[in-house]
Amino acid sequence: MSPYEAELAVAGKERAADGVVSLVLRPPLGGRLPAWEPGAHVDLLLGPGLERQFSLCGDPGDRTGWRIAVLREPGGRGGSAFVHERLGVGDSVRVRGPRNRFRLEPAPRYRFVAGGIGITPILPMLAAAEAAGAEWSLLYGGRTRRSMAFTAELARYGGRRVTVAPQDETGLLDLGPVLDEVPDGTLVYCCGPGPLLDAVEERCPAGVLRTERFRPKPRPDGAGGADGEFEVVLRRSGRSLTVASGVSVLDTVRAAGVEVLYSCAEGTCGTCETDVLEGDPDHRDSVLSARERAAGETMLICVSRCRGARLVLDL
């Protein structure tokens, strides 16, 4: 089934923090939007070659509108600048989704760690954990207090479970109290800059961490297989194609006229995840878990390749 895609109206736009704006998107003629769960994101199709993913950070129970928050990135590729400078109340924007690779799994206890704009997918998770009666805590860091979005909303939970730690006041986040002793049954959710995620991964017990990255995870030197050519068979299309060295599977199938949904083309959003019917994928994404990689049942065709000579995909 094709994902929901429609023109939505910008019904609200306000400053959420220094360099951060929040938008509320609604159907221009009213009506209900697709349901979503904490951790979901949507794609904003801002123009040719300008598609960006933003986490939904409002109330999943409100089907009349979606809220996102956007950090302005001076060194970015133009998406955040477009939202900050050119999208205003009353404008329309094409939106696709929602999609979720960062689901809140049931657990009796949660420890949440957010850095900067990484608070956006975490925010609805807190409400869901609270509603479920789970035990939870949040450690939230940022450059300065003024740069940290939604701190006023977090205040309703009180200071016992929520720790707001601006770097200019407290230094780098102290992960020890959160991660050095993680009781059985606890899940750790983390979203934020790459260095924060790397630090959390180093300290977290195996199997308890769930992350979402805004940038591709660096690959160690020599990791993965070779970058040589291989054959990709598209089972549903009845096509057999050669993926050349230095060319992605995604670009190869699109050049052959096969329509495939994709967005980031960096292995971070999960849009192009494709079922693998035969072959051994060389996973190079920042989305799939270790268990999903070992199973080899899906791959992100924008960045991942083949460890052998042939892949058969459900395309």
Side-chain angles (χ1 to χ4, degrees), residues 16-311:
D18 285 353
V20 180
V21 295
S22 67
L23 303 181
V24 176
L25 308 173
R26 301 189 189 277
L29 301 179
R32 288 165 65 82
L33 291 165
W36 61 280
E37 297 178 353
H41 70 260
V42 293
D43 303 328
L44 264 58
L45 282 61
L46 302 171
L50 197 61
E51 299 181 12
R52 298 293 182 267
Q53 301 78 47
F54 300 103
S55 297
L56 293 171
C57 59
D59 177 7
D62 181 5
R63 299 280 297 277
T64 67
W66 285 337
R67 184 176 71 166
I68 62 171
V70 181
L71 169 68
R72 176 151 193 171
E73 301 183 76
R77 295 172 294 163
S80 66
F82 186 102
V83 172
H84 276 251
E85 297 173 6
R86 299 177 59 181
L87 275 186
V89 173
D91 290 337
S92 64
V93 60
R94 194 151 194 86
V95 182
R96 183 174 61 216
R99 184 175 297 103
N100 200 339
R101 289 289 320 187
F102 193 42
R103 295 185 185 278
L104 185 67
E105 301 171 24
R109 286 174 295 278
Y110 299 99
R111 293 186 178 174
F112 299 102
V113 181
I117 199 64
I119 191 63
T120 51
I122 299 295
L123 205 60
M125 291 184 180
L126 304 182
E130 181 79 358
E135 177 186 326
W136 63 268
S137 66
L138 167 67
L139 178 61
Y140 177 25
R143 291 180 294 103
T144 67
R145 193 173 294 271
R146 290 174 57 87
S147 73
M148 298 170 69
F150 304 121
T151 52
E153 291 186 24
L154 293 171
R156 69 187 179 97
Y157 295 116
R160 183 174 61 86
R161 286 181 295 179
V162 175
T163 300
V164 175
Q167 185 175 346
D168 66 337
E169 297 177 20
T170 63
L172 294 176
L173 287 182
D174 184 4
L175 299 174
V178 178
L179 302 178
D180 282 351
E181 294 184 12
V182 179
D184 290 344
T186 303
L187 290 180
V188 178
Y189 279 78
C190 181
C191 185
L196 173 63
L197 270 67
D198 294 341
V200 171
E201 284 184 350
E202 288 177 4
R203 301 188 75 137
C204 241
V208 306
L209 179 61
R210 309 291 185 268
T211 64
E212 183 169 62
R213 289 181 176 266
F214 301 132
R215 296 286 182 269
K217 185 176 181 179
R219 298 176 68 242
D221 292 341
D227 291 326
E229 71 175 35
F230 57 93
E231 179 188 15
V232 61
V233 177
L234 312 183
R235 177 67 57 81
R236 281 189 282 130
S237 303
R239 305 282 299 275
S240 179
L241 307 172
T242 298
V243 180
S245 176
V247 180
S248 71
V249 177
L250 174 64
D251 287 344
T252 300
V253 299
R254 292 186 67 239
V258 178
E259 290 297 322
V260 181
L261 283 179
Y262 72 99
S263 186
C264 74
E266 294 180 329
T268 59
C269 74
T271 304
C272 69
E273 185 175 1
T274 301
D275 287 343
V276 178
L277 304 179
E278 296 178 28
D280 185 9
D282 175 13
H283 297 291
R284 304 184 181 191
D285 64 273
S286 301
V287 174
L288 298 180
S289 67
R291 183 172 57 186
E292 290 170 325
R293 292 177 178 223
E297 295 175 351
T298 68
M299 65 182 289
L300 271 65
I301 61 173
C302 64
V303 292
S304 297
R305 300 184 68 79
C306 179
R307 293 186 182 276
R310 183 173 180 267
L311 281 174

Side-chain angles (χ1 to χ4, degrees), residues 1-8 27 32-34 66 95-98:
M1 184 174 65
S2 298
Y4 173 86
E5 184 176 320
E7 294 282 339
L8 299 183
R32 288 165 65 82
L33 291 165
W66 285 337
V95 182
R96 183 174 61 216

